[in-house]
Structures are given as structure tokens and as C-alpha cells.
Amino acid sequence: MSLFDNTPPPLPEPETVDASRPLAERMRPESLDDYVGQEHILGPGKPLRQQIERDQLTSIILWGPPGVGKTTLAKLIARMTHCEFVPFSAVLSGIKEIKAVMADAERLRRMGRRTILFIDEIHRFNKAQQDAFLPYVEKGDIILIGATTENPSFEVIAALLSRSRVYALRGLTVPEIMTLLRRALPVLHLQASDDLLEQIAIYVNGDARQAYNTLEASAAAAPGGELTEQGVQDAMQRKVLLYDKSGEEHFNLISALHKSVRSSDVDAALYWLTRMLEAGEDRMYIARRLVRMAIEDISLADPRALEQAIAAMQAVHFLGMPEGDLALGQAAIYLAIAPKSDAAYRAMGEIVADVQKTSAEPVPMNLRNAVTRSMKEWGYGEGYQHAHQFSDAVVFMDCLPPSLTGRRYYHPTDRGVEKRIGERMEEIRRRREAATNPEPKHERD
């Protein structure tokens, strides 16, 4: 090829499929149209797709959970942009290997060929190793595609981030996973019902690689090429609990859990929670819903309920499965037996209604900070009462806008801690009323 020939080389032929390779490797798509998921960045007209189709790619970081297609996407980009594709492992490579690859990339650039350097698990590179790429990225010797499961803001050096664009990839949905599994059935000479494919899709929690591995393991125990419930159950090493295809059962179960907690039915709450765990529900999704229950249905009737829910969420994140499931069960029990109140929830709703139907009144002058002499002269802070200068730190000034003075939003229940909160609020109101409306003095006859 002449150095002055700008004609791109022909698109490389797809690799011959080797039946001995893992199913996930055999099922890699050969074009963007075959790529499933990530419509928010690869759909028609989306930024990354336009970069690829116009062959105007710059260095990028692909950030997302395992099995969502980061490596597959990098290989597709290399094929479509006629670039050399050099995979690089952050686990196995050091500075010496980096320099050798960079030298090859520089020689290719002089020959008119571009190199995509794909770095899997880029977050595992230390600062010095990441710094080694900078000169070659800046000179254009390489187009860097980094893949990471960790937040790039914390794990990739600022200099590389400023020269790259970060794209966040999402876990695949159940329908997207099912699409991939259906495509794999002919490759395995297998037949399967949608119910069983959906159960695999739910179980893998957005991870396409794990879905392929589970299907391949299930196929090994498929007599006559027909996937069975027992085969899927053995592959997942647990009982198959089917959600329906519309996903309605997913919402039915979380609704049952939420309403059982709200109804203070401990046994029912544990039952529905366990059903969700056994069906492969995302543990962090359950944890988030428990946090919501603590806020929405218990609130200040037991302020520790939120602490328990947050602690359970952190335990799930820290421990993973199956130990973290015990933390979810413990939190569900606590929330179910806790006194219930939606007073704060209703108060916020009333305030939203007032904010929407009233004008945005200026902040009263007594609540403004007089940070300059002029502001003090204009009346900022005039009339402000510093709580710590008063008995029991209770003051008697109005803090609501004038049109809403006297409005009461929060009406605590007489359950749990809220009973004491209500008593304290009434005490404060009585003292304020006494201070603002003193009893008249009677003159002597």
C-alpha cells in the first residue's frame, strides 16, 4: 500500500466460528445493527453511533457493569472504522508492554493506519501506567478505548479523562437478554420456551455473558435438544420461579412486600421478600425499596427505621450474595414491626401544592444574611432572633412568607417517636402564642 493512498483497507472478514469457543464469544455481533442494548448512545442519531458511522472516533471510556457489551462494542468500532485492534489487559501488562505497543502504533500511523488500543479494566492501571498513554493519545498515535466497571471519575486520571469521552453503558433489560438467548438457540441446536428464557434473563441481572453461560450449561442437560425446567434449575443451582413475560409479576411481588410491611405483617413481608430473592431479583433494587418504605411509611414514628434500611443496603453492597440477603430480611422485619406514619409524606405533598399555586415570594428580610454593610442598611437580617440566645432555643419570629404565616403542614401521629414530636411542637406553639399574644393586664378598680 502506498503511503499516499488514502483508500481504507477492506473490512476484515468475520472470524470463523469455532464450536469449541464459549458461547458468549461465538455470539459476538458483526455489526451495530446486531448489537443489542445501549440505545441511549447507539440508537439512530445518538452521539457515539454518529462518531462511529462518520469515522470520527476519538478516545473514549466505556463505563458499565460486567457483561453489557463493552469489549464487543470496542471490537465493532475497530471493524467499522478500519482500525487495527490491539487488546490490552490492565491485569497482565506493565510499562514495558505499553511502550512496545505504542512503538508499533506509531509505526502504523506513519503508514497511514490507525490503531485502537482497547484496555480492559483500565481502572486497574496505576497513575504511572495511565500517564504512559498520554503522549500517544495526544499525538494521535492511538485511539484509546478503555473499559471499566468502576466510576472513571475516581479511577481514571484527570489528564486521560479530559482527552476522552465517557459513555455509561447500562445493564441489559430482560427483553434484551431474551433477544440474545433466542439468537443463541440455533447455535446450540436447542429449543426453549420463552418462560425459561425469561427466567434465565431475570436471573443474570443484565449480564449477557452470564446469560450465555447459563444457557450453555442448561443445554448440556437438554434431552433431544429441548431446554427443560430442571436443566435451567440445575444450571442456576436453585429452584425456577417464573415471572410472567410482561414483567407484571415483578411489580406484583414488590407491591406485596411493600403492603405487607405497611400492614405490619412480619411473616408476609418475609415471605414476599424471600420469593423475590429466590426468583433472582436485583438485591439493590429490593434495598432501595426498603429505604423508600422507611421514609414513606414509617418516617419519624421511628427515625431508626431509615438507619436500618440504609445499613441493610450497605451490607448488601459490601457482602453480596447470599450473606447480604440476611440483611434484607432483618431490615424487612424491623420495618414491619415499626410504628407507622405518613405524616411527613403528606406534609411534603401539601407544601408542593402550595408552592405550585402561590407566587414565589421573596425570603423575609429577617431570614436573610447581612454579609455587607449596605445589605444591613437595606434591612437584611432585621428582626432576626438567634435561637441560642433564647430560653430553650425557642424563638417567636415568623419564618414562612407573609401569605403563608400560620400555615401548618406537618401533623405528627400519636405513634412511636412522633407522639413526642407532636407534644414538643404543641409546647413550642403555646409558647409562641403566649409571647405574641400576652394576656391583657386588668386595671384595679
Side-chain angles (χ1 to χ4, degrees):
M1 181 181 70
S2 168
L3 294 179
F4 303 101
D5 183 3
N6 293 323
T7 303
L11 196 66
E13 292 296 323
E15 297 178 11
T16 303
V17 176
D18 182 354
S20 65
R21 292 159 62 198
L23 181 62
E25 191 67 25
R26 286 183 275 163
M27 293 304 300
R28 289 195 191 278
E30 298 174 3
S31 71
L32 278 181
D33 292 333
D34 295 330
Y35 188 90
V36 174
Q38 318 309 331
E39 288 293 316
H40 61 294
I41 57 173
L42 291 174
K46 296 299 182 180
L48 182 55
R49 189 177 189 114
Q50 288 188 331
Q51 276 188 288
I52 298 169
E53 291 177 341
R54 295 174 182 174
D55 202 358
Q56 296 175 343
L57 192 71
T58 56
S59 293
I60 61 176
I61 304 292
L62 301 176
W63 171 32
V68 297
K70 299 185 290 293
T71 302
T72 296
L73 181 55
K75 289 185 175 181
L76 279 176
I77 290 171
R79 276 177 50 79
M80 295 185 65
T81 54
H82 309 283
C83 293
E84 293 290 328
F85 182 79
V86 180
F88 211 71
S89 172
V91 179
L92 303 175
S93 307
I95 296 291
K96 181 180 178 181
E97 290 81 5
I98 292 174
K99 290 182 177 179
V101 170
M102 294 303 103
D104 289 340
E106 188 172 6
R107 282 194 295 271
L108 285 171
R109 183 180 62 83
R110 291 171 181 165
M111 297 171 59
R113 297 293 301 276
R114 295 172 299 168
T115 299
I116 284 181
L117 182 66
F118 175 67
I119 307 176
D120 196 15
E121 297 186 278
I122 191 172
H123 58 274
R124 293 181 180 270
F125 271 139
N126 60 36
K127 183 179 183 299
Q129 290 170 316
Q130 293 186 34
D131 278 333
F133 293 112
L134 280 176
Y136 304 98
V137 172
E138 288 179 335
K139 288 190 298 182
D141 288 341
I142 61 168
I143 298 171
L144 176 67
I145 300 182
T148 179
T149 56
E150 305 296 327
N151 189 328
S153 300
F154 305 128
E155 304 295 341
V156 179
I157 62 173
L160 264 185
L161 278 181
S162 68
R163 292 161 176 81
S164 310
R165 183 162 184 179
V166 176
Y167 289 100
L169 277 64
R170 303 167 181 165
L172 300 184
T173 65
V174 169
E176 288 168 346
I177 294 286
M178 289 181 68
T179 296
L180 296 175
L181 293 176
R182 289 192 191 102
R183 290 181 183 177
L185 293 178
V187 176
L188 295 174
H189 307 290
L190 189 66
Q191 293 182 339
S193 69
D194 279 350
D195 283 344
L196 290 176
L197 294 183
E198 184 178 38
Q199 182 59 25
I200 294 174
I202 292 168
Y203 166 70
V204 300
N205 193 28
D207 186 331
R209 186 183 301 107
Q210 189 179 3
Y212 285 133
N213 292 343
T214 304
L215 182 65
E216 199 167 18
S218 303
E226 179 73 30
L227 196 66
T228 64
E229 181 177 314
Q230 185 63 48
V232 173
Q233 181 173 314
D234 291 343
M236 296 189 301
Q237 297 184 342
R238 60 188 181 87
K239 184 179 178 181
V240 172
L241 293 174
L242 296 178
Y243 281 13
D244 63 17
K245 288 184 285 294
S246 68
E248 180 185 350
E249 193 66 9
H250 160 83
F251 296 105
N252 288 343
L253 285 175
I254 193 61
S255 176
L257 172 59
H258 195 150
K259 289 178 172 64
S260 297
V261 167
R262 183 181 291 155
S263 302
S264 302
D265 191 330
V266 174
D267 296 309
L270 280 177
Y271 172 79
W272 295 117
L273 171 67
T274 304
R275 279 274 301 271
M276 297 184 77
L277 296 175
E278 287 298 301
E281 184 58 78
D282 178 8
R283 270 51 178 175
M284 292 306 290
Y285 170 76
I286 297 175
R288 287 193 295 271
R289 291 300 297 248
L290 291 174
V291 171
R292 174 184 167 182
M293 295 172 206
I295 297 169
E296 182 178 323
D297 293 298
I298 299 168
S299 188
L300 293 175
D302 184 352
R304 292 202 63 195
L306 180 58
E307 298 174 13
Q308 290 290 317
I310 293 295
M313 179 188 69
Q314 292 175 335
V316 169
H317 181 71
F318 182 69
L319 292 175
M321 297 169 54
E323 293 86 353
D325 293 353
L326 298 175
L328 295 175
Q330 178 178 310
I333 293 171
Y334 191 99
L335 299 184
I337 64 174
K340 305 299 187 293
S341 171
D342 67 347
Y345 180 83
R346 288 184 285 108
M348 293 292 290
E350 290 183 31
I351 293 170
V352 168
D354 274 356
V355 168
Q356 291 177 346
K357 69 184 180 184
T358 60
S359 60
E361 296 187 60
V363 174
M365 297 300 280
N366 61 317
L367 298 182
R368 302 187 188 190
N369 277 340
V371 296
T372 67
R373 181 181 298 176
S374 296
M375 293 169 77
K376 190 171 184 179
E377 292 173 353
W378 297 334
Y380 279 57
E382 186 175 344
Y384 173 66
Q385 299 174 358
H386 197 293
H388 296 291
Q389 297 175 356
F390 288 77
S391 174
D392 201 20
V394 175
V395 299
F396 311 107
M397 63 179 180
D398 289 325
C399 295
L400 279 169
S403 68
L404 296 174
T405 296
R407 190 85 161 83
R408 294 178 63 173
Y409 295 107
Y410 178 48
H411 302 278
T413 68
D414 61 356
R415 297 184 290 274
V417 176
E418 272 199 333
K419 182 177 181 179
R420 299 203 303 272
I421 293 173
E423 292 169 354
R424 174 65 173 164
M425 289 176 65
E426 286 304 317
E427 178 190 352
I428 293 171
R429 288 194 180 100
R430 285 195 301 270
R431 293 184 60 180
R432 282 179 174 166
E433 289 173 1
T436 54
N437 300 302
E439 294 183 4
K441 296 180 179 179
H442 298 284
E443 295 182 1
R444 293 182 178 179
D445 294 336

